[in-house]
Amino acid sequence: MADAKPKPPILEVERLTKYFGGLAAVKDVSFEVREGQIFGFIGPNGAGKTTLFSIIAGALKPSSGKVRSRGRDITALKPFQLVQAGIARTHQIVRPFREMTVLENVKLASHFGRKNVTSDSAAEEHAMQILTWFGMETFAQKSASILSVGLQKRLEITRAMATEPDLLLCDEICGGLTHVETAAMLDWLRRIRDRGTTVMYVEHDVKAITAVCDRILVLNYGRKLSEGAPDHIQQDPAVIEAYLGHPPGRRQEG
Amino acid sequence: MTLIEFVNLLASALLLAGIYAVMSVGMTVIYGVMKIVNLAHAGFMMLGAYLALELFERFRIDPILAALLVFPVMFVVGRVLHWLLVRRLPTSDQPTLASLLLMFGLWLVLQNLGYFIWGNADRSIYTSHTLSLLRFGAVTISTVRLVVFGAAVACMVALHLILNHTWFGRSVRALIQNRYAGQIVGVDDQKTASITFGLGIGFAGLAGALLASLYSFNPDFGRPFLIRAFVIIVLGGLESVSGVAIGAFVLAFVETFGILFVPAGYQLALSYGLLVVVLIFLPGGVAALTAKVRRLA
Amino acid sequence: MSTSPAPLPIRLLAQWRTFAPSWMILAGLAVMPLLLSSPNFIRLLFVTLLWITTSVAWNLLGGFAGQISFGFAVFYGIGAYTTALSMNAGVNPFIAFLVSAITAAAASLLVGLPTFRLRGPYFAIATIGISEAVRVVMTNLSFTGGASGYRIVEHRAFRQLDHYYTALVLASIAVAFSVFISRTRFGLGLNAIRQDEDAAAGLGVNPYAYKLGAHALAAALTGMVGGVFSRYAAFIHPQGVFGFQTSVHILLMPVIGGIATIWGPVLGGVVFGIVEEQIIASFPEIHLFIYGSMLILIILVEPGGILGAFRKLLRRIHGRR
């Protein structure tokens, strides 16, 4: 941890705490996300994943603690300012603009994203490029409301990527998808990482997370339980106990 | 200001607060459960006032008793309107454009109904004790105000008991907290919404009927009170019944003592000023403030 | 998709076909009073043009951005009084209209700044609050004559056509604004805010600034209408220009015509301008009832207004073929 850093990390969370009423949903959580990683966090229901995610995404204010990106304090930034700082997000429940076409959805992101494209035609061109990259170009003129759930989820990611982020925050993008669709979605995450965007990924599904992530943070009762590479996490007795409710001894997967 | 003047003002602020609370609580329950701002609230208050007047003039029913009779009538009116119109609105956890416009349209219709039936002359309810005063040492209080205050407080207590000790009350509180979770554990949200809407309209009518004993009124009667009700529920945090009581007291206090500093014509501007101050400095209302205090403690 | 990234004005020119009907309507309106010079008819056209302008202005905020205001009378009234006071101080009327626009836009911040930051019904609530508060204050304000009103003295002969063409230019500006905005980044951002404010913010739109901007623009246009009206009427009073009725009218027109469209509010303004004359004249005692029932009906039956119903009809006809 204390080794000399060539560059400050793309995301640095320092002692983040959030109270609701008297209850701490997140307590004293710290971690770092390095550039070029897919960083995942998991935890049982009510572990504080969503709260932590919302704070980083600027949707909630923490009670205390700091969030930094490349050394810059971004704790108080609003979602639209985060986009300008190179951080985009997807929503757990997809939120396409239903009265717009797929292209218009993405064009909006091109306009308002980090590129700040003001010209209508340049934005359209940019949006088409991104749509093509995600293999969605055939749906460009379709209304966003008629897409299947799988495609709506892909649109959600496409749209976020059209803001040209350095860090993409993904909230449970595989919920409600079939096995095949999940595998495809995870593949998109890898391609996004290989394209140069760091990914922070929250998921309920342990299998999906361990399959795709380079590094994983495990939350339990709002606290950090464990952190490390997927192998390390899967071997960690504390994690196994939190998930399966009994001490290690038996095999984790059954 | 002498101490006696101060105590007198304080007493009248307190009496006003009781009426303000009962006036605003109907809006709060409807907003809490259905996320609908009842812009027609003023119209229902006006109807309540005229119903009380009719009961008093035709059947010689005491105005306070009449107000209590107005409640069930308006409750039924509310449920019928819910069945006719409100249930057709898309449900949402945010106030929608459609719900705002619908309730606004309803308000216009009610106002016109008032003009149509009762004309636009100012009316009022005069009884033998309208002008009588009670003295408690140095404090002088209008008898009617005290009785109205008593009735208002009794109704608030009754509502509090209903919300905290009945099955319906539990459903209401569940839906206020989390609509989804409420439905999952088996709350019939349509039925609860219908009863809530009836209750909200019932309270609007009751408040109008009680106010009819204090002020003269016409079909445009509720409008200045609508804005006060807004200020109060925003102060109270929109969804909290106890917040309403506190909000009502704050507004009554500011208005009563504001007379010392602001000419009477500008009182409504004072309410708006208070609304703006609350929105800037305390957007969650008193409820958010108490939560914060509790955490610090 | 788009092959040539031509600048917007050129592309608009290239789409002249789309706008040909609007140019023809505009030309028709420009020569109309010369052919039919009945003062009463010109007055009706003048009033309708003013209504159209407020309707289009309201739609910028209520339609495009989805923020319902019940208090546009505030801007109308502020515009009317600003022009009246400026003109009596010797200011040229057209400069007075601009001053009205600026004052009204500044007043819009009074409602927008505290409420647009927050989620929930605060904005709608505050608009009702401020329109009542301002009306009451204006009724008591002595230097504008309070409730008894204020007279404008113009040292020029009254020429109805001057007023008519002013209104025509203003209405054209409003519609042009509406068309322009709907095709730019600003309009796309507003549209996104109406549909899902959080999702819009998550893609880089600043909802607070955008809502404030749309509100100020709508207020400025409405303020100018108030100014043009007060110069025409030469006498204004708070119960009129700041009246609750004024707010109701301004809100009703775009809803009738079709919210969040370009031509819906214009259509609403035309229908209202003509029908209102008749309704008020024939059934003054039930006009609120008619307005209210119209709102309820539109919301429950066809939220897209006349234009929405018309489009549905067209689609049905095409579908049958």
Side-chain angles (χ1 to χ4, degrees):
Chain A
M1 283 286 167
D3 53 339
K5 299 166 198 167
K7 217 180 184 186
I10 190 146
L11 188 74
E12 195 180 351
V13 168
E14 191 186 303
R15 304 201 61 180
L16 216 54
T17 299
K18 175 72 188 178
Y19 285 100
F20 287 114
L23 285 170
V26 170
K27 180 99 182 151
D28 254 346
V29 173
S30 306
F31 64 90
E32 284 179 8
V33 179
R34 293 280 165 165
E35 227 148 308
Q37 286 184 338
I38 298 181
F39 185 96
F41 55 90
I42 50 172
N45 265 331
K49 297 189 297 286
T50 307
T51 308
L52 186 53
F53 187 90
S54 303
I55 294 171
I56 296 170
L60 268 182
K61 273 189 198 152
S63 307
S64 67
K66 285 246 175 318
V67 183
R68 272 188 284 267
S69 177
R70 292 182 170 145
R72 177 185 174 200
D73 186 348
I74 58 164
T75 320
L77 292 194
K78 302 211 169 68
F80 76 92
Q81 294 168 316
L82 286 173
V83 171
Q84 296 305 323
I87 300 174
R89 72 168 290 183
T90 69
H91 294 90
Q92 185 178 348
I93 298 162
V94 289
R95 304 173 84 156
F97 301 111
R98 291 176 191 280
E99 295 168 35
M100 294 185 190
T101 62
V102 169
L103 176 63
E104 282 169 332
N105 265 275
V106 182
K107 208 166 104 181
L108 182 94
S110 304
H111 263 313
F112 290 93
R114 218 148 40 122
K115 279 198 139 182
N116 251 317
V117 184
T118 40
S119 132
D120 185 71
S121 48
E124 194 159 311
E125 210 168 307
H126 180 258
M128 273 317 283
Q129 272 173 19
I130 304 274
L131 275 170
T132 312
W133 197 79
F134 277 95
M136 300 258 308
E137 71 278 9
T138 46
F139 303 103
Q141 300 302 334
K142 292 258 171 8
S143 163
S145 57
I146 61 164
L147 296 184
S148 68
V149 180
L151 282 173
Q152 285 193 351
K153 294 230 167 194
R154 214 199 293 178
L155 172 60
E156 184 87 13
I157 295 189
T158 312
R159 215 171 52 171
M161 285 304 288
T163 68
E164 300 280 353
D166 291 332
L167 175 65
L168 179 68
L169 312 175
C170 289
D171 193 358
E172 305 211 5
I173 46 169
C174 292
L177 295 186
T178 63
H179 286 297
V180 181
E181 285 171 329
T182 303
M185 193 58 96
L186 296 181
D187 217 44
W188 281 117
L189 286 189
R190 290 190 195 100
R191 290 178 64 180
I192 289 168
R193 174 195 57 193
D194 298 343
R195 194 178 183 254
T197 301
T198 310
V199 178
M200 193 189 86
Y201 178 34
V202 187
E203 187 66 71
H204 193 70
D205 179 359
V206 186
K207 267 189 194 159
I209 281 264
T210 47
V212 77
C213 288
D214 302 306
R215 201 174 169 82
I216 296 174
L217 172 83
V218 187
L219 285 173
N220 199 17
Y221 297 111
R223 285 170 191 274
K224 179 156 121 181
L225 189 66
S226 180
E227 189 189 341
D231 309 343
H232 170 81
I233 295 296
Q234 281 170 309
Q235 308 294 324
D236 190 332
V239 175
I240 297 168
E241 191 183 342
Y243 262 86
L244 299 178
H246 57 75
R250 278 180 252 169
R251 294 292 305 173
Q252 175 199 1
E253 276 169 292
Chain B
M1 182 169 47
T2 65
L3 185 66
I4 291 170
E5 274 171 348
F6 177 77
V7 173
N8 268 308
L9 280 180
L10 198 64
S12 56
L14 192 65
L15 293 185
L16 195 61
I19 300 157
Y20 278 4
V22 84
M23 171 182 90
S24 318
V25 77
M27 267 185 119
T28 295
V29 290
I30 291 179
Y31 186 80
V33 171
M34 309 168 75
K35 300 294 174 283
I36 289 175
V37 182
N38 183 10
L39 294 175
H41 192 81
F44 293 111
M45 284 175 66
M46 177 271 294
L47 275 191
Y50 277 102
L51 278 181
L53 177 74
E54 293 287 339
L55 286 172
F56 171 68
E57 286 193 340
R58 284 175 199 264
F59 307 106
R60 291 284 133 198
I61 296 175
D62 180 84
I64 302 297
L65 184 63
L68 298 179
L69 291 175
V70 163
F71 180 82
V73 177
M74 296 302 286
F75 177 79
V76 173
V77 169
R79 290 202 66 176
V80 169
L81 284 173
H82 180 268
W83 183 79
L84 270 178
L85 307 172
V86 181
R87 76 188 165 103
R88 292 168 212 279
L89 288 171
T91 51
S92 167
D93 55 357
Q94 282 277 315
T96 58
L97 195 139
S99 73
L100 286 170
L101 291 176
L102 179 81
M103 299 315 285
F104 188 71
L106 192 56
W107 182 23
L108 297 183
V109 169
L110 289 173
Q111 260 186 61
N112 205 145
L113 207 65
Y115 282 117
F116 205 69
I117 303 177
W118 293 291
N120 56 3
D122 278 2
R123 306 293 293 272
S124 47
I125 296 179
Y126 272 113
T127 63
S128 51
H129 41 260
T130 295
L131 296 174
S132 77
L133 296 172
L134 289 175
R135 296 189 148 275
F136 300 95
V139 181
T140 315
I141 288 174
S142 143
T143 315
V144 183
R145 276 185 179 257
L146 190 64
V147 175
V148 166
F149 175 78
V153 169
C155 293
M156 288 293 285
V157 170
L159 179 67
H160 184 78
L161 291 177
I162 290 173
L163 288 182
N164 284 296
H165 296 280
T166 64
W167 175 85
F168 165 73
R170 269 198 296 281
S171 310
V172 166
R173 283 182 296 141
L175 287 179
I176 288 179
Q177 273 179 26
N178 190 329
R179 179 167 209 99
Y180 272 129
Q183 278 167 297
I184 288 165
V185 298
V187 173
D188 180 348
D189 65 326
Q190 273 302 315
K191 191 178 170 200
T192 309
S194 165
I195 298 177
T196 304
F197 198 75
L199 209 60
I201 303 306
F203 263 92
L206 171 76
L210 287 175
L211 283 165
S213 293
L214 305 179
Y215 303 101
S216 66
F217 50 93
N218 60 35
D220 198 24
F221 170 58
R223 184 131 34 110
F225 292 108
L226 179 71
I227 288 135
R228 295 190 171 103
F230 283 154
V231 180
I232 289 165
I233 71 168
V234 168
L235 260 168
L238 290 180
E239 302 182 348
S240 139
V241 172
S242 50
V244 162
I246 300 170
F249 186 74
V250 172
L251 181 68
F253 192 84
V254 168
E255 279 193 352
T256 309
F257 285 87
I259 289 176
L260 299 175
F261 310 103
V262 179
Y266 297 98
Q267 257 199 322
L268 211 58
L270 200 68
S271 308
Y272 183 75
L274 186 63
L275 180 68
V276 170
V277 168
V278 172
L279 287 178
I280 292 174
F281 296 105
L282 196 65
V286 182
L289 187 70
T290 47
K292 202 173 269 182
V293 168
R294 204 175 304 150
R295 207 181 61 237
L296 289 175
Chain C
M1 269 286 90
S2 70
T3 42
S4 62
L8 189 68
I10 293 175
R11 284 204 297 155
L12 285 180
L13 215 64
Q15 297 168 342
W16 68 273
R17 259 171 217 280
T18 331
F19 291 103
S22 356
W23 289 115
M24 276 156 68
I25 291 170
L26 189 60
L29 283 169
V31 293
M32 184 95 81
L34 305 175
L35 304 175
L36 285 162
S37 55
S38 134
N40 204 36
F41 179 67
I42 297 176
R43 187 191 56 82
L44 180 64
L45 280 183
F46 167 77
V47 171
T48 304
L49 284 171
L50 291 189
W51 282 133
I52 289 174
T53 312
T54 57
S55 172
V56 169
W58 188 92
N59 184 58
L60 294 181
L61 180 74
F64 290 166
Q67 308 297 312
I68 302 287
S69 170
F70 297 95
F72 264 46
V74 171
F75 310 131
Y76 189 83
I78 284 176
Y81 271 89
T82 307
T83 290
L85 289 166
S86 311
M87 279 179 65
N88 281 0
V91 177
N92 174 293
F94 294 94
I95 294 178
F97 299 153
L98 284 181
V99 179
S100 284
I102 293 164
T103 327
S108 80
L109 299 179
L110 226 62
V111 191
L113 284 176
T115 55
F116 280 146
R117 287 183 310 140
L118 308 168
R119 315 205 42 118
Y122 297 104
F123 174 69
I125 287 178
T127 58
I128 294 187
I130 192 162
S131 57
E132 285 300 301
V134 168
R135 192 173 52 80
V136 171
V137 167
M138 289 306 291
T139 329
N140 288 290
L141 214 58
S142 55
F143 77 97
T144 56
S148 49
Y150 189 71
R151 192 167 294 285
I152 298 129
V153 186
E154 193 175 4
H155 301 288
R156 251 201 276 189
F158 175 82
R159 285 183 50 216
Q160 199 186 23
L161 281 187
D162 281 0
H163 296 272
Y164 173 78
Y165 286 115
T166 311
L168 183 59
V169 168
L170 192 56
S172 311
I173 290 174
V175 173
F177 247 124
S178 174
V179 171
F180 182 70
I181 285 173
S182 71
R183 283 158 184 257
T184 53
R185 188 171 176 261
F186 184 61
L188 194 63
L190 293 180
N191 207 336
I193 290 169
R194 179 186 74 243
Q195 290 181 47
D196 188 334
E197 191 176 326
D198 285 337
L203 296 172
V205 182
N206 179 351
Y208 188 43
Y210 267 54
K211 287 190 275 185
L212 282 177
H215 196 199
L217 211 55
L221 281 170
T222 310
M224 282 207 264
V225 174
V228 173
F229 170 78
S230 76
R231 180 182 170 222
Y232 181 86
F235 175 73
I236 49 176
H237 60 103
Q239 297 297 342
V241 292
F242 282 107
F244 182 59
Q245 295 274 335
T246 309
S247 289
V248 176
H249 292 168
I250 296 177
L251 154 106
L252 202 59
M253 290 179 285
V255 176
I256 292 175
I259 240 173
T261 62
I262 290 170
W263 297 108
V266 178
L267 193 63
V270 173
V271 170
F272 187 80
I274 295 162
V275 173
E276 187 241 18
E277 267 311 278
Q278 310 305 322
I279 291 180
I280 293 275
S282 331
F283 316 99
E285 68 282 0
I286 56 162
H287 70 277
L288 278 181
F289 184 83
I290 294 172
Y291 294 164
S293 336
M294 267 163 105
L295 269 178
I296 294 173
L297 263 177
I298 289 170
I299 291 307
L300 294 182
V301 179
E302 180 48 68
I306 298 178
L307 209 63
F310 189 63
R311 278 185 183 152
K312 253 183 208 166
L313 196 70
L314 275 184
R315 217 173 297 145
R316 197 167 291 171
I317 293 167
H318 280 287
R320 283 223 181 112
R321 275 190 204 147

